[in-house]
Amino acid sequence: MQRNRPPSPAGDRHWRGSARFATTCALLFCGMSLLVDWDAGSLTLPRALLWITLSAVVLLVLLPPRVTAGPGRLTVSGLWREHTVCTDALVAARQYGVVSSRLVLHDTHGHRLEADPDVLAANPLMWHELDTGVRRSVERGTLLQGADVLEQLGHRIDDETTRAVLRASGLS
């Protein structure tokens, strides 16, 4: 007998690589700093703890948040907090910044989420889930601000996807 399970959420397919890179950088920093300090003859337990602590800080700074999308929701999970918005009950969407832009979404339940639009652009399944929810929000009349921001983001993602397909097929 098969059970009706909810579909698994679409996740950032590049997150593991980014997390691996952050971990590698932190471990290299730790190893190199301990090695240099040991070679200089100044390595003590407090200094070793300092280097290990600084390496943990490097990991915290470099580790990207994990973004997942499922039917009617988008979730960004950091180290200590997880933010989820109902994409089919969005109230506002804003995009801040030019070089390092952030997409900020608010839903009718008072939840707020901040995500990197490039993560959505690099993951078509997540964008599809968000776009489906946005369309429902527009149909229901809850999306009062930012429909144009999401539409522009959608056009940008569609253009990038089209260019990638043309490049892969050798037509560009």
Side-chain angles (χ1 to χ4, degrees):
M1 177 176 181
Q2 256 191 2
R3 295 181 184 160
N4 288 336
R5 282 189 256 165
S8 61
D12 181 2
R13 57 190 176 168
H14 304 290
W15 184 86
R16 279 196 175 126
S18 299
R20 196 175 307 116
F21 175 75
T23 304
T24 302
C25 288
L27 289 173
L28 280 173
F29 176 77
C30 184
M32 294 300 289
S33 58
L34 289 171
L35 184 66
V36 167
D37 210 0
W38 175 72
D39 188 47
S42 58
L43 184 63
T44 61
L45 181 61
R47 288 178 67 92
L49 291 175
L50 172 71
W51 291 125
I52 292 170
T53 303
L54 288 175
S55 298
V57 170
V58 168
L59 178 65
L60 294 176
V61 168
L62 294 179
L63 190 66
R66 187 173 215 149
V67 182
T68 56
R73 66 173 176 73
L74 183 68
T75 302
V76 175
S77 304
L79 286 175
W80 293 283
R81 299 190 70 172
E82 181 175 284
H83 299 279
T84 301
V85 292
C86 295
T87 57
D88 50 2
L90 291 175
V91 173
R94 294 182 189 90
Q95 189 166 354
Y96 296 102
V98 178
V99 175
S100 176
S101 64
R102 309 302 295 164
L103 180 66
V104 180
L105 303 173
H106 297 269
D107 67 10
T108 57
H109 308 292
H111 300 128
R112 177 185 181 276
L113 175 136
E114 193 172 316
D116 184 359
D118 292 336
V119 171
L120 297 171
N123 296 281
L125 293 175
M126 280 198 306
W127 171 248
H128 173 72
E129 292 290 351
L130 176 60
D131 188 48
T132 302
V134 167
R135 291 175 194 269
R136 284 193 198 117
S137 293
V138 169
E139 287 171 5
R140 294 175 182 167
T142 61
L143 186 58
L144 305 174
Q145 282 184 318
D148 57 330
V149 169
L150 294 169
E151 187 175 327
Q152 289 171 0
L153 181 60
H155 288 306
R156 186 185 118 207
I157 290 171
D158 291 343
D159 291 347
E160 288 176 12
T161 303
T162 302
R163 279 193 290 276
V165 167
L166 290 174
R167 257 192 318 274
S169 66
L171 296 175
S172 150

